[in-house]
Amino acid sequence: MEEKIIDETKQGIALSLESKAENTRKLYIESYGCQMNFSDSEIVASILVNQGFNTTSKLEEADLVLVNTCSIRDKAEQTVRKRLEKYNAIKRINPSMKVGVLGCMAERLKEKFLDEEKIVDMVVGPDAYKDLPNLLKEIDAGRDAVNVVLSKDETYGDISPVRLGTNGINALVSITRGCDNMCTFCVVPFTRGRERSRDPRSILEEINDLAQKGYKEITLLGQNVDSYLWYGGGLKKDFKNASEMEKATATSFSGLLAMVAEAQPKLRIRFSTSNPQDMTEDVLHTVAKYQNICNYIHLPVQSGSTRILKEMNRQHTREEYIELIDKIHEIIPGCGISQDLITGFPTETEEDHQDTLSLMEYVKYYFGFMFKYSERPGTTAARKLKDDIPEEIKKQRLTEIVDAQRKHSAYRTNQFLGKTVEVLIERESKKSDAQWSGRNPQSLVVVFPKESYKLGDFVMVKIADCTSATLIGEPVGYSSNN
Ligand code: 5AD
Ligand code: SF4
């Protein structure tokens, strides 16, 4: 549970199974931060497999090391800096090894990265991955290479990602890029640029291909999935003018969800991340309507105080958030809800903090991701507000919300005792090789004896025991979804 709650930045070294025998150069790619970065690394790997690279898990034998970085908090950036030190040590043994920095830190620091970290040969922002073949030529010729141009329309919709570190069961499918919300604490609008949606046809193609390859669950990804909007399609002659046509044929997020759910009724569908101000009731009705869309919503709130939400430019009040929570329970009974929260935002008083705790008490989230405020250069909060909450108080408040979350998680897991839930087997349990581990629709981890079940099976599991983070049970048969 600790890891899930205080989780700084997830890390993954990724290997692909889709190598090409004729490829001779070795790529080592490592990702930090959000799921979007992991998904982007799969796009990057796909581009590089077509440039003569295969992935390796051995840093020492790499010709090219790429690190996909996160800027969301200072600590995330420090983690990457430490990794660069490690690469430096390897480069002393293997001087021809090249190092490229991708993602949000590349975008934020741009050329400065080359001066600050001598080890870095290449700096590539999140919208510039298609330029990698050219940038590689530059570094092969011994020159540094930088492309951090942000785009208004790049969605990589035409690139079929190479699946990295895959279990062959869960896959990430990106549907939007960037964010226009401008929460005052957040660096993402600066590092990932303007919001844009991907053509639904390419999304469907990718999903159909995944289903055909035997994948069982997909997560539709975007910084703000509810603002997904695609204009296009339809015959012009049926409409008075272009704008009328665009409106009539637009695909919203709920439309996309329904399309995906209908195209692949056996596939489990998840989505992340939702933003309270953009989430519409029709999305909730769509989740309720389709049995294969998981009853689970990740709904970051950041703070339970309306005053702080305003300072954060979150575009909703505490009351509106609560209304939305009530709506979710009304339309999707038994829906799992999780949160992101920030403690110690500038000017946060003890009263604001208590508001957060009481909101948590009201919602009783299934789980959550909680962070101390970290001032990010260039954001509105950094420019306008002093980072005035002492570290000790931030820490204390974080401990309090983590403790509250642990209590609520335990409340939620306890509610499943004696119930039978559908679990998709995703991996072996970390604690025992005699047990499978998977998740129920609400995204709670379930472990149970393997018996004769296999990875990727949908199994009905009767819950007999639990911790605050895990349900423990016995399998009682296959789910009808198999
Ligand atoms: N400080 C701390 N947490 C942050 N997040 C985003 N920016 C910051 C920051 N400057 C958190 C938010 C967001 C999650 C992805 O990271 O809770 O939802
Ligand atoms: Fe950042 Fe807010 Fe956009 Fe999320 S919605 S990426 S927190 S600006």
Side-chain angles (χ1 to χ4, degrees):
M1 194 68 188
E2 253 73 359
E3 198 195 348
K4 211 171 201 177
I5 291 183
I6 328 178
D7 171 57
E8 246 313 321
T9 40
K10 295 171 217 94
Q11 180 203 342
I13 299 156
L15 250 191
S16 155
L17 302 174
E18 298 166 59
S19 51
K20 280 192 185 164
E22 66 273 25
N23 286 358
T24 52
R25 302 172 86 188
K26 293 202 169 68
L27 162 71
Y28 175 94
I29 185 163
E30 205 170 79
S31 306
Y32 292 85
C34 64
Q35 287 178 308
M36 191 60 98
N37 263 7
F38 284 72
S39 166
D40 281 0
S41 291
E42 299 188 331
I43 287 162
V44 167
S46 166
I47 293 169
L48 291 183
V49 165
N50 289 324
Q51 296 296 313
F53 285 89
N54 280 336
T55 53
T56 173
S57 61
K58 296 195 188 88
L59 184 52
E60 301 74 22
E61 65 174 35
D63 298 298
L64 175 65
V65 174
L66 294 180
V67 55
N68 201 347
T69 61
C70 172
S71 285
I72 200 99
R73 285 169 288 277
D74 183 56
K75 205 164 158 202
E77 293 202 350
Q78 295 316 323
T79 310
V80 169
R81 301 257 188 202
K82 284 223 185 72
R83 282 309 283 166
L84 291 174
E85 278 171 31
K86 169 82 181 168
Y87 303 160
N88 216 352
I90 306 281
K91 201 166 179 171
R92 269 184 231 119
I93 308 162
N94 176 9
S96 65
M97 181 182 103
K98 301 284 182 193
V99 175
V101 178
L102 315 175
C104 289
M105 233 175 136
E107 193 62 51
R108 195 177 83 72
L109 294 163
K110 304 186 169 58
E111 288 82 1
K112 265 198 301 187
F113 226 131
L114 296 170
D115 301 332
E116 284 176 25
E117 302 281 354
K118 296 290 174 236
I119 172 108
V120 175
D121 302 292
M122 179 166 74
V123 179
V124 195
D127 285 348
Y129 299 143
K130 279 195 193 149
D131 195 29
L132 274 165
N134 298 322
L135 298 169
L136 281 174
K137 278 189 203 129
E138 286 294 302
I139 59 172
D140 283 343
R143 293 186 286 269
D144 287 340
V146 180
N147 188 341
V148 287
V149 176
L150 284 173
S151 158
K152 284 207 180 81
D153 47 26
E154 182 61 81
T155 61
Y156 300 112
D158 53 337
I159 293 185
S160 164
V162 158
R163 302 291 158 188
L164 294 171
T166 180
N167 57 2
I169 295 159
N170 313 91
L172 305 170
V173 175
S174 90
I175 63 162
T176 69
R177 297 181 71 82
C179 185
D180 285 351
N181 276 2
M182 295 304 281
C183 299
T184 56
F185 52 80
C186 188
V187 78
V188 167
F190 303 96
T191 59
R192 287 188 163 271
R194 300 303 300 269
E195 204 166 85
R196 64 218 98 119
S197 298
R198 179 177 167 192
D199 185 338
R201 281 164 297 196
S202 83
I203 297 174
L204 270 182
E205 257 169 45
E206 185 174 338
I207 290 169
N208 289 338
D209 180 53
L210 286 165
Q212 203 237 327
K213 287 183 173 140
Y215 282 82
K216 299 292 168 76
E217 180 184 291
I218 53 133
T219 303
L220 302 175
L221 273 190
Q223 246 74 42
N224 187 7
V225 286
D226 299 284
S227 67
Y228 177 87
L229 192 58
W230 176 261
Y231 288 121
L235 290 172
K236 269 208 173 91
K237 66 177 177 49
D238 296 337
F239 303 96
K240 271 198 221 95
N241 54 45
S243 99
E244 192 194 282
M245 180 193 81
E246 282 184 346
K247 282 207 188 87
T249 58
T251 306
S252 65
F253 181 54
S254 67
L256 179 74
L257 262 182
M259 230 150 85
V260 171
E262 278 173 27
Q264 292 297 338
K266 293 264 173 205
L267 210 57
R268 246 192 194 186
I269 295 153
R270 297 185 185 275
F271 54 90
S272 188
T273 295
S274 298
N275 266 288
Q277 68 262 36
D278 298 310
M279 184 155 223
T280 51
E281 239 180 273
D282 55 340
V283 169
L284 304 181
H285 287 293
T286 308
V287 174
K289 178 171 168 193
Y290 293 96
Q291 177 271 330
N292 56 332
I293 305 179
C294 288
N295 288 355
Y296 164 67
I297 299 172
H298 181 55
L299 198 64
V301 65
Q302 317 298 1
S303 169
S305 150
T306 295
R307 189 185 69 81
I308 293 290
L309 288 170
K310 195 155 195 286
E311 293 287 357
M312 289 175 162
N313 191 30
R314 288 291 287 179
Q315 313 286 338
H316 62 83
T317 62
R318 169 194 175 90
E319 289 70 31
E320 284 162 344
Y321 186 87
I322 288 177
E323 245 174 66
L324 179 58
I325 294 286
D326 292 346
K327 269 259 142 56
I328 294 173
H329 289 314
E330 183 192 313
I331 299 171
I332 318 167
C335 186
I337 304 175
S338 59
Q339 45 84 353
D340 286 349
L341 274 166
I342 297 177
T343 63
F345 186 79
T347 76
E348 185 187 70
T349 61
E350 180 57 28
E351 198 186 331
D352 296 320
H353 172 59
Q354 290 303 326
D355 281 350
T356 297
L357 286 169
S358 71
L359 179 83
M360 291 177 79
E361 195 62 42
Y362 182 82
V363 183
K364 295 195 174 60
Y365 294 100
Y366 282 59
F367 53 90
F369 303 89
M370 289 152 276
F371 314 99
K372 282 182 289 180
Y373 172 69
S374 166
E375 185 179 88
R376 307 314 294 132
T379 56
T380 306
R383 282 187 284 112
K384 300 217 167 124
L385 299 166
K386 187 164 174 280
D387 185 7
D388 61 351
I389 308 301
E391 182 62 21
E392 275 317 298
I393 295 186
K394 283 186 186 169
K395 243 193 216 158
Q396 174 60 32
R397 290 181 184 164
L398 181 65
T399 307
E400 287 175 26
I401 64 169
V402 166
D403 287 347
Q405 183 54 57
R406 192 170 290 120
K407 198 180 83 191
H408 299 147
S409 297
Y411 167 80
R412 290 298 181 186
T413 53
N414 267 282
Q415 284 191 319
F416 284 93
L417 291 179
K419 297 214 170 105
T420 301
V421 300
E422 185 192 69
V423 182
L424 169 62
I425 302 179
E426 295 171 46
R427 56 186 57 85
E428 200 166 78
S429 152
K430 275 187 211 133
K431 294 215 175 107
S432 157
D433 61 8
Q435 305 250 324
W436 284 129
S437 169
R439 278 173 303 156
N440 71 353
Q442 289 83 357
S443 216
L444 291 176
V445 173
V446 184
V447 295
F448 61 92
K450 280 184 174 173
E451 296 189 357
S452 57
Y453 298 102
K454 298 182 306 302
L455 220 53
D457 283 345
F458 286 97
V459 182
M460 301 309 293
V461 178
K462 182 153 193 216
I463 305 304
D465 197 2
C466 66
T467 67
S468 61
T470 312
L471 302 174
I472 302 153
E474 292 291 329
V476 295
Y478 288 103
S479 132
S480 58
N481 199 29
N482 270 302

